[in-house]
Amino acid sequence: MWLVMFILLMVVNANEGEGICKEENLLNDVMPSVDKDYIDSCASTVDGIIDKSAGVRSHMIIDKMEKILENVTFNGSHINFTSKYLIGHVSKVDPVHFDGLEIYANSDKVSSDHGAVLNSTVRLAVPKEILTNVTGKTTVVFCMYKTNKLFKKTVVNDQVVGVSVSQTKIASLANPMNITFFLKQPLNPNETATCVFWDVSTSKWNSSGCKTILADGQIRCQCNHMTYFAVLLSPSAVSEAHLKILSTISFIGCGISLACLTITLVMYAACRKISNDHSTQIHINLAAALVLLNLFFLPNEDLASFKNNTLCRFLALMLHYSLLCSFTWMGIEAFHLYRLLCKVFNINTSRYILKLCLVGWGLPAVVVSLIIAIKKDAYGLRIIPMKEANYTNVTMCYITNEYNTLYYIANIGYLAVVFAFNTFMLGVTVVKLMSIRSTSSPIEKRRAWKDICTILGLSSLLGTTWGLAFFTFGPLSLPGLYFFCVLNSLQGVFIFLWFCALRQKASKSSASSDTHSTKT
Ligand SMILES: *[C@@H]1O[C@H](CO)[C@@H](O)[C@H](O)[C@H]1NC(C)=O
Ligand SMILES: *[C@@H]1O[C@H](CO)[C@@H](O)[C@H](O)[C@H]1NC(C)=O
Ligand SMILES: *[C@@H]1O[C@H](CO)[C@@H](O)[C@H](O)[C@H]1NC(C)=O
Ligand SMILES: *[C@@H]1O[C@H](CO)[C@@H](O)[C@H](O)[C@H]1NC(C)=O
Ligand SMILES: *[C@@H]1O[C@H](CO)[C@@H](O)[C@H](O)[C@H]1NC(C)=O
Ligand SMILES: *[C@@H]1O[C@H](CO)[C@@H](O)[C@H](O)[C@H]1NC(C)=O
Ligand SMILES: *[C@@H]1O[C@H](CO)[C@@H](O)[C@H](O)[C@H]1NC(C)=O
Ligand SMILES: *[C@@H]1O[C@H](CO)[C@@H](O)[C@H](O)[C@H]1NC(C)=O
Ligand SMILES: *[C@@H]1O[C@H](CO)[C@@H](O)[C@H](O)[C@H]1NC(C)=O
Ligand SMILES: *[C@@H]1O[C@H](CO)[C@@H](O)[C@H](O)[C@H]1NC(C)=O
Ligand SMILES: *[C@@H]1O[C@H](CO)[C@@H](O)[C@H](O)[C@H]1NC(C)=O
């Protein structure tokens, strides 16, 4: 008999709780005030509403549940609860002793103690400033919806986090509130994450007053008010489209350059008519170095995606080698010009080109070998974060990220030395040219100036182009790539045009000599 009474009592009790948190009550304007024992039944009523009419009355449900939680009565310092779609934490706070609050949560645990929640997916940090306008004891409510059914948008981790202080509206915090979402899965490269709050007045997501900070595996929202927050994921079509355009442009730029340079080399090999002087041979060597550079740069990104270590190391090594070769041949161009004009070195002409080749192809080989000797695994995958595409990374085969010092010394250092050398050589040449102005013939002078312009043009093109590609922006940054492609293709075209002019001259002079011979 007692047992029956007890069971009856429990049923009555349970019904009373259901009654307070009945669906009609939640959806109408009745304001239930509940004891903590009924929170669970309120939460399951909310679950039911979400399941039945996803999103239709989201703001009403959120609003009512928040009021209930703000006004729940309990003994002790805090309570927590969880249900299918909800997890919450209500704590009593006293403005006198309040020193900020941190709450950690995942989908089945919530606590203000970091250690109590393993693998938390959300961390909330509330500044103590929130209680400046509050006099008596109050409650801080944390409530998380573990679904995006209510809001019909893709949100990170399917989590919507709400925080409020009983009967107080908190806005324009000087020290912002931090809500950190730890990503369960990495973001898709084609998605953009934005911290937003649920704007009750418009029933829409709004990002005003919230800052989005993307970091490794987490997204931090800094917001200057309190309400319901989430990280919205929207397709970043722009970024994807940009990436496509950029890849295409890079392909075209390198392609044009490669084609022009290859044609030049083939024509040079096939054509015996043109004057095969030292300048031509040096230009041809530079062209060959540039062909190598483009050849190893063009497919680099695609091949890097195979993640084959052997292949990647080889590619990285060759790319670095050909880059250094190009720089070295640039320096040789300047040196040669200096020698042509100033004739200070009496190098045996038969060995001159051989010696230059030894330097031009040998010195980079020495540098690369040294690098391998010092750090065996210096070459490999290099990750280049792209800020433009919101931290989707580009991988390429080059000097790996672990050896950044080496990367800078072996590239910027080398380039700087070559650049300084070129500047010095060209400077000396120009000074020399000025001083011999009166003595030399105007034709000779014009030729010298033409040479200087050629080499200046090539130097600046080479330096800027590959400087851009490798040091300042990383291969695929937005403005960098546009510049790079234009300059790179210009360089190839430039050498090609120079070669065509040379051939024209050669055929003209041979033609004139032909006519001359027939005359005689
Ligand atoms: C909070 O609950 C008390 C009773 O405990 C009630 O008098 C009061 O009206 C409630 N306030 C709100 C805002 O619901
Ligand atoms: C709080 O504690 C008092 C006495 O300790 C008790 O009568 C009351 O039922 C408790 N209330 C709740 C909600 O637990
Ligand atoms: C609620 O808090 C208690 C201790 O305060 C803890 O043991 C329990 O796991 C918590 N429940 C949830 C759902 O976080
Ligand atoms: C937390 O995550 C680690 C790995 O990330 C996993 O091994 C561990 O089981 C997780 N713990 C819980 C309680 O989920
Ligand atoms: C939120 O983060 C910012 C910047 O890291 C910090 O200045 C601020 O104190 C943090 N706020 C809280 C409540 O921890
Ligand atoms: C406190 O009240 C003042 C004046 O009403 C307001 O400007 C300020 O934003 C409030 N502080 C907080 C944290 O809401
Ligand atoms: C977002 O909220 C701000 C401040 O509450 C408001 O001024 C703005 O109009 C809102 N934007 C939209 C699109 O609703
Ligand atoms: C984003 O990429 C994933 C695959 O990586 C694809 O399933 C999804 O449909 C893409 N989303 C958009 C909006 O393009
Ligand atoms: C990156 O994200 C920000 C917002 O977080 C957005 O304003 C910007 O347009 C995005 N950039 C790209 C290239 O998608
Ligand atoms: C990488 O490629 C080389 C040949 O290019 C092949 O021999 C090797 O098995 C590949 N390694 C992996 C891990 O695929
Ligand atoms: C991009 O690279 C950075 C730093 O190397 C790394 O922390 C981050 O996780 C990478 N992002 C992606 C999407 O791979």
Side-chain angles (χ1 to χ4, degrees):
M1 194 59 199
W2 281 111
L3 188 70
V4 174
M5 282 274 286
F6 185 62
I7 290 173
L8 270 180
L9 208 68
M10 272 184 66
V11 168
V12 170
N13 249 337
N15 274 339
E16 192 187 326
E18 292 282 342
I20 288 169
C21 265
K22 265 193 309 212
E23 203 175 308
E24 304 95 84
N25 285 350
L26 281 183
L27 293 178
N28 294 325
D29 230 10
V30 182
M31 179 64 67
S33 165
V34 302
D35 187 82
K36 82 167 174 32
D37 296 337
Y38 301 126
I39 286 295
D40 284 339
S41 81
C42 289
S44 50
T45 309
V46 170
D47 287 345
I49 297 174
I50 292 175
D51 268 337
K52 256 195 290 182
S53 60
V56 177
R57 293 158 169 146
S58 52
H59 58 286
M60 278 176 83
I61 300 166
I62 295 175
D63 206 40
K64 198 58 73 73
M65 192 63 195
E66 187 180 296
K67 291 262 158 57
I68 293 170
L69 291 174
E70 280 179 9
N71 209 16
V72 64
T73 52
F74 59 95
N75 288 342
S77 67
H78 68 270
I79 54 163
N80 58 28
F81 67 92
T82 180
S83 75
K84 187 175 170 196
Y85 294 132
L86 270 172
I87 186 159
H89 186 276
V90 184
S91 44
K92 284 185 182 146
V93 289
D94 183 347
V96 184
H97 305 297
F98 187 67
D99 195 29
L101 182 68
E102 279 195 9
I103 290 172
Y104 300 84
N106 59 27
S107 45
D108 36 51
K109 255 182 169 305
V110 56
S111 171
S112 54
D113 173 14
H114 178 37
V117 185
L118 285 173
N119 299 353
S120 52
T121 51
V122 166
R123 183 181 68 218
L124 175 80
V126 183
K128 66 175 176 193
E129 191 192 341
I130 58 162
L131 296 189
T132 43
N133 290 349
V134 180
T135 44
K137 282 187 183 175
T138 185
T139 53
V140 175
V141 177
F142 167 91
C143 185
M144 182 166 94
Y145 289 83
K146 301 177 280 187
T147 174
N148 58 24
K149 279 189 183 178
L150 262 182
F151 305 99
K152 293 193 170 158
K153 287 267 187 174
T154 316
V155 300
V156 158
N157 292 352
D158 283 349
Q159 285 170 338
V160 177
V161 171
V163 57
S164 63
V165 175
S166 184
Q167 271 140 49
T168 318
K169 192 170 183 293
I170 300 214
S172 40
L173 293 166
N175 185 13
M177 208 171 55
N178 296 327
I179 310 127
T180 311
F181 292 86
F182 299 95
L183 296 173
K184 287 179 185 168
Q185 297 154 350
L187 291 181
N188 260 325
N190 57 4
E191 286 171 333
T192 308
T194 320
C195 292
V196 288
F197 71 93
W198 182 253
D199 195 338
V200 184
S201 57
T202 57
S203 290
K204 280 198 176 109
W205 292 110
N206 185 333
S207 64
S208 127
C210 284
K211 231 163 80 181
T212 311
I213 299 166
L214 297 170
D216 196 11
Q218 62 186 55
I219 296 171
R220 200 160 77 223
C221 301
Q222 289 189 337
C223 299
N224 67 2
H225 46 77
M226 284 176 131
T227 148
Y228 278 78
F229 300 100
V231 179
L232 270 192
L233 287 180
S234 42
S236 56
V238 184
S239 154
E240 204 188 7
H242 262 161
L243 265 181
K244 260 205 186 112
I245 294 172
L246 288 181
S247 308
T248 314
I249 283 194
S250 137
F251 212 75
I252 291 171
C254 288
I256 291 177
S257 189
L258 191 57
C260 285
L261 292 167
T262 312
I263 292 173
T264 306
L265 287 189
V266 169
M267 268 163 54
Y268 173 76
C271 180
R272 304 245 158 260
K273 270 183 187 167
I274 54 161
S275 66
N276 198 8
D277 62 0
H278 290 159
S279 304
T280 309
Q281 287 174 357
I282 291 170
H283 285 344
I284 288 299
N285 269 299
L286 175 64
L290 287 175
V291 164
L292 275 188
L293 182 54
N294 277 301
L295 209 56
F296 287 109
F297 184 74
L298 194 58
N300 198 300
E301 204 196 320
D302 290 325
L303 292 179
S305 62
F306 289 141
K307 302 252 190 298
N308 182 326
N309 244 339
T310 326
L311 181 71
C312 197
R313 273 194 190 172
F314 173 72
L315 265 183
L317 190 142
M318 288 312 290
L319 180 63
H320 192 216
Y321 174 69
S322 48
L323 181 69
L324 294 185
C325 282
S326 306
F327 285 152
T328 314
W329 278 104
M330 226 49 247
I332 290 175
E333 290 264 8
F335 169 76
H336 176 67
L337 183 70
Y338 172 77
R339 188 188 159 272
L340 264 189
L341 282 173
C342 309
K343 298 202 168 75
V344 283
F345 300 103
N346 254 329
I347 301 168
N348 185 348
T349 31
S350 68
R351 294 242 183 103
Y352 178 57
I353 287 296
L354 188 70
K355 280 177 184 164
L356 289 187
C357 277
L358 264 179
V359 174
W361 300 105
L363 189 62
V366 169
V367 173
V368 170
S369 313
L370 263 180
I371 288 178
I372 294 183
I374 299 169
K375 299 280 180 202
K376 238 165 120 187
D377 45 357
Y379 292 109
L381 272 185
R382 181 176 184 83
I383 295 168
I384 297 143
M386 271 181 69
K387 294 222 167 59
E388 275 88 358
N390 286 336
Y391 296 90
T392 54
N393 294 333
V394 171
T395 51
M396 66 180 296
C397 294
Y398 201 49
I399 300 173
T400 56
N401 297 70
E402 287 92 69
Y403 299 104
N404 260 333
T405 336
L406 197 66
Y407 172 76
Y408 286 117
I409 294 172
N411 286 307
I412 296 186
Y414 203 93
L415 180 65
V417 169
V418 169
F419 191 77
F421 179 77
N422 275 15
T423 315
F424 177 70
M425 284 292 173
L426 289 173
V428 170
T429 313
V430 169
V431 168
K432 189 86 184 172
L433 208 66
M434 295 293 189
S435 67
I436 59 168
R437 175 164 32 189
S438 45
T439 54
S440 63
S441 70
I443 298 164
E444 208 172 304
K445 242 170 50 198
R446 249 185 51 202
R447 223 196 93 199
W449 277 111
K450 233 170 68 190
D451 280 351
I452 288 183
C453 288
T454 310
I455 289 176
L456 262 182
L458 271 177
S459 287
S460 50
L461 271 179
L462 186 90
T464 338
T465 310
W466 293 94
L468 272 180
F470 284 88
F471 313 128
T472 347
F473 299 105
L476 277 177
S477 98
L478 189 59
L481 198 74
Y482 283 108
F483 271 126
F484 168 74
C485 290
V486 172
L487 292 182
N488 186 20
S489 21
L490 268 186
Q491 208 172 30
V493 172
F494 194 62
I495 290 181
F496 178 66
L497 287 183
W498 156 80
F499 190 79
C500 287
L502 200 71
R503 239 190 101 194
Q504 194 98 37
K505 219 169 68 190
S507 59
K508 231 187 241 164
S509 66
S510 74
S512 68
S513 68
D514 277 355
T515 48
H516 189 71
S517 57
T518 46
K519 260 184 193 167
T520 49

